[in-house]
Amino acid sequence: MKILSYRTATGHDSVGALVSDDTLVDLSSLIPAPASGVSPIRLLLQATEGRLQFQDTELAGRERIALDTVTVAPLVADPTKIIAAPVNYRDHQAEMMEDYHIDALGVFLKAPSSVIGHGETIRLPYTDRRFDQEGELALVIGRTTENVSIDNALAAVAGYTCLLDITMRGGEDRSTRKSFDTFTPVGPYLVTPDEVGPLASLQLRTHVNGTLRQDADIADLIWGVPELVSYASSVMTLHPGDIITTGTPAGIGQIHDGDTVSVEIDRIGALTVTVSAAGAVACPTKGAVRGPKPPAEITPVRSRVSPES
Ligand code: MN
């Protein structure tokens, strides 16, 4: 099942299930009491304890809405936190010439206020710094979870989605470099685990202006989803709607004003956003000369699918 956060033409925020390519079933009637300041999808996750695999009988009789009459909203506009994996693919570790990967680094946090949705615009804040795209598989937590074992960790996951971990390169803390407003595009929708199937069979592709930059097997994650969720829950209590992003494979590269960036994962969807440098100013911090050195040139990636096929 695919779950979409959306805004109606009259400006009402809601959450629904995609029952076909062009039709939504509104799920707001499943939310017991509207709470101001909490997004509909978080209230739905709380009400269902993260089980979003609705039966046809549960959807029957609810309001049906044509998809083209609504605007896609950020999947979770207000997560209590965004937990991110640093250096969780060996080919990305190699391209960054990093000495360490996740098993020495743990996880880091991105500001919840950095979230945007499918179709929105990344705003580059500075004229004199390098900004890169990082295409990633992300998951949304379904229920309050603390200290879960690796074996039981997937029970905490409501579903999967696409995420772009937009990054300023340099020596400032990760929490600064990756937390600018608009630096966490996520969506377009959540796909429940039953529909995603085995994670190890998924491939991720990131395109910038139609050129393939990242083409990776999710099976190559150093810490897979169960290990990452278990570890994160040993550090901090996970709440419904929290987002955990699994890290980026090789193929990161610079993004510029006017670019279109898209990350696509098998059976999970394709998230597309644009880039603007309007209003950018000189950077007030001096980290540009520090930090891991990203590749200077973008290495073209050969797609697995030959152009002839
Ligand atoms: Mn990342």
PDB file of all heavy atoms in Angstrom, residues 84-85 108 134 136 165 167 178 245 247-248, ligand 1:
ATOM      1  N   ALA A  84      20.322   9.939  10.471  1.00  0.00           N
ATOM      2  CA  ALA A  84      20.981   9.640   9.201  1.00  0.00           C
ATOM      3  C   ALA A  84      22.259   8.833   9.421  1.00  0.00           C
ATOM      4  O   ALA A  84      22.945   8.987  10.429  1.00  0.00           O
ATOM      5  CB  ALA A  84      21.299  10.941   8.470  1.00  0.00           C
ATOM      6  N   ALA A  85      22.545   7.982   8.442  1.00  0.00           N
ATOM      7  CA  ALA A  85      23.726   7.131   8.486  1.00  0.00           C
ATOM      8  C   ALA A  85      24.858   7.793   7.705  1.00  0.00           C
ATOM      9  O   ALA A  85      24.683   8.129   6.534  1.00  0.00           O
ATOM     10  CB  ALA A  85      23.400   5.777   7.872  1.00  0.00           C
ATOM     11  N   PHE A 108      23.985  10.427  12.842  1.00  0.00           N
ATOM     12  CA  PHE A 108      23.902  11.866  13.115  1.00  0.00           C
ATOM     13  C   PHE A 108      22.466  12.331  12.881  1.00  0.00           C
ATOM     14  O   PHE A 108      21.634  11.577  12.373  1.00  0.00           O
ATOM     15  CB  PHE A 108      24.889  12.656  12.251  1.00  0.00           C
ATOM     16  CG  PHE A 108      24.625  12.634  10.773  1.00  0.00           C
ATOM     17  CD1 PHE A 108      23.877  13.630  10.164  1.00  0.00           C
ATOM     18  CD2 PHE A 108      25.137  11.613   9.958  1.00  0.00           C
ATOM     19  CE1 PHE A 108      23.630  13.618   8.799  1.00  0.00           C
ATOM     20  CE2 PHE A 108      24.891  11.595   8.587  1.00  0.00           C
ATOM     21  CZ  PHE A 108      24.141  12.598   8.009  1.00  0.00           C
ATOM     22  N   GLU A 134      22.811  13.510  -2.404  1.00  0.00           N
ATOM     23  CA  GLU A 134      23.022  12.148  -1.905  1.00  0.00           C
ATOM     24  C   GLU A 134      21.671  11.440  -1.964  1.00  0.00           C
ATOM     25  O   GLU A 134      20.779  11.725  -1.166  1.00  0.00           O
ATOM     26  CB  GLU A 134      23.550  12.154  -0.463  1.00  0.00           C
ATOM     27  CG  GLU A 134      24.899  12.839  -0.304  1.00  0.00           C
ATOM     28  CD  GLU A 134      25.534  12.608   1.079  1.00  0.00           C
ATOM     29  OE1 GLU A 134      24.839  12.128   1.998  1.00  0.00           O
ATOM     30  OE2 GLU A 134      26.733  12.918   1.211  1.00  0.00           O
ATOM     31  N   GLU A 136      19.163   8.426  -1.252  1.00  0.00           N
ATOM     32  CA  GLU A 136      19.170   7.429  -0.173  1.00  0.00           C
ATOM     33  C   GLU A 136      17.808   6.734  -0.031  1.00  0.00           C
ATOM     34  O   GLU A 136      16.760   7.328  -0.265  1.00  0.00           O
ATOM     35  CB  GLU A 136      19.534   8.111   1.164  1.00  0.00           C
ATOM     36  CG  GLU A 136      20.831   8.910   1.048  1.00  0.00           C
ATOM     37  CD  GLU A 136      21.438   9.356   2.374  1.00  0.00           C
ATOM     38  OE1 GLU A 136      20.862   9.054   3.448  1.00  0.00           O
ATOM     39  OE2 GLU A 136      22.500  10.020   2.307  1.00  0.00           O
ATOM     40  N   ASP A 165      19.620  13.484   0.816  1.00  0.00           N
ATOM     41  CA  ASP A 165      20.365  14.084   1.926  1.00  0.00           C
ATOM     42  C   ASP A 165      21.284  15.137   1.308  1.00  0.00           C
ATOM     43  O   ASP A 165      22.431  14.861   0.967  1.00  0.00           O
ATOM     44  CB  ASP A 165      21.151  12.992   2.656  1.00  0.00           C
ATOM     45  CG  ASP A 165      22.035  13.538   3.768  1.00  0.00           C
ATOM     46  OD1 ASP A 165      21.799  14.674   4.219  1.00  0.00           O
ATOM     47  OD2 ASP A 165      22.965  12.804   4.188  1.00  0.00           O
ATOM     48  N   THR A 167      23.754  18.132   0.950  1.00  0.00           N
ATOM     49  CA  THR A 167      24.930  18.291   1.801  1.00  0.00           C
ATOM     50  C   THR A 167      25.818  19.428   1.323  1.00  0.00           C
ATOM     51  O   THR A 167      26.160  19.494   0.134  1.00  0.00           O
ATOM     52  CB  THR A 167      25.749  16.974   1.761  1.00  0.00           C
ATOM     53  OG1 THR A 167      24.918  15.908   2.227  1.00  0.00           O
ATOM     54  CG2 THR A 167      26.989  17.064   2.622  1.00  0.00           C
ATOM     55  N   LYS A 178      24.072  19.659   6.695  1.00  0.00           N
ATOM     56  CA  LYS A 178      22.962  18.900   6.107  1.00  0.00           C
ATOM     57  C   LYS A 178      21.590  19.343   6.620  1.00  0.00           C
ATOM     58  O   LYS A 178      20.599  18.668   6.338  1.00  0.00           O
ATOM     59  CB  LYS A 178      23.179  17.406   6.407  1.00  0.00           C
ATOM     60  CG  LYS A 178      24.419  16.838   5.692  1.00  0.00           C
ATOM     61  CD  LYS A 178      24.815  15.500   6.279  1.00  0.00           C
ATOM     62  CE  LYS A 178      25.932  14.831   5.502  1.00  0.00           C
ATOM     63  NZ  LYS A 178      25.421  14.098   4.318  1.00  0.00           N
ATOM     64  N   THR A 245      17.363   7.636   7.542  1.00  0.00           N
ATOM     65  CA  THR A 245      17.872   7.507   6.178  1.00  0.00           C
ATOM     66  C   THR A 245      19.192   6.737   6.207  1.00  0.00           C
ATOM     67  O   THR A 245      20.010   6.899   7.115  1.00  0.00           O
ATOM     68  CB  THR A 245      17.957   8.882   5.477  1.00  0.00           C
ATOM     69  OG1 THR A 245      18.268   8.654   4.110  1.00  0.00           O
ATOM     70  CG2 THR A 245      18.962   9.829   6.126  1.00  0.00           C
ATOM     71  N   GLY A 247      21.893   6.259   4.200  1.00  0.00           N
ATOM     72  CA  GLY A 247      23.209   6.621   3.680  1.00  0.00           C
ATOM     73  C   GLY A 247      23.252   6.525   2.168  1.00  0.00           C
ATOM     74  O   GLY A 247      22.363   5.948   1.540  1.00  0.00           O
ATOM     75  N   THR A 248      24.281   7.147   1.591  1.00  0.00           N
ATOM     76  CA  THR A 248      24.337   7.254   0.133  1.00  0.00           C
ATOM     77  C   THR A 248      25.446   6.385  -0.448  1.00  0.00           C
ATOM     78  O   THR A 248      26.516   6.253   0.165  1.00  0.00           O
ATOM     79  CB  THR A 248      24.522   8.722  -0.305  1.00  0.00           C
ATOM     80  OG1 THR A 248      24.095   8.867  -1.659  1.00  0.00           O
ATOM     81  CG2 THR A 248      25.970   9.191  -0.183  1.00  0.00           C
TER      82      THR A 248
HETATM   83 MN    MN B   1      23.824  10.970   3.465  1.00  0.00          MN
END
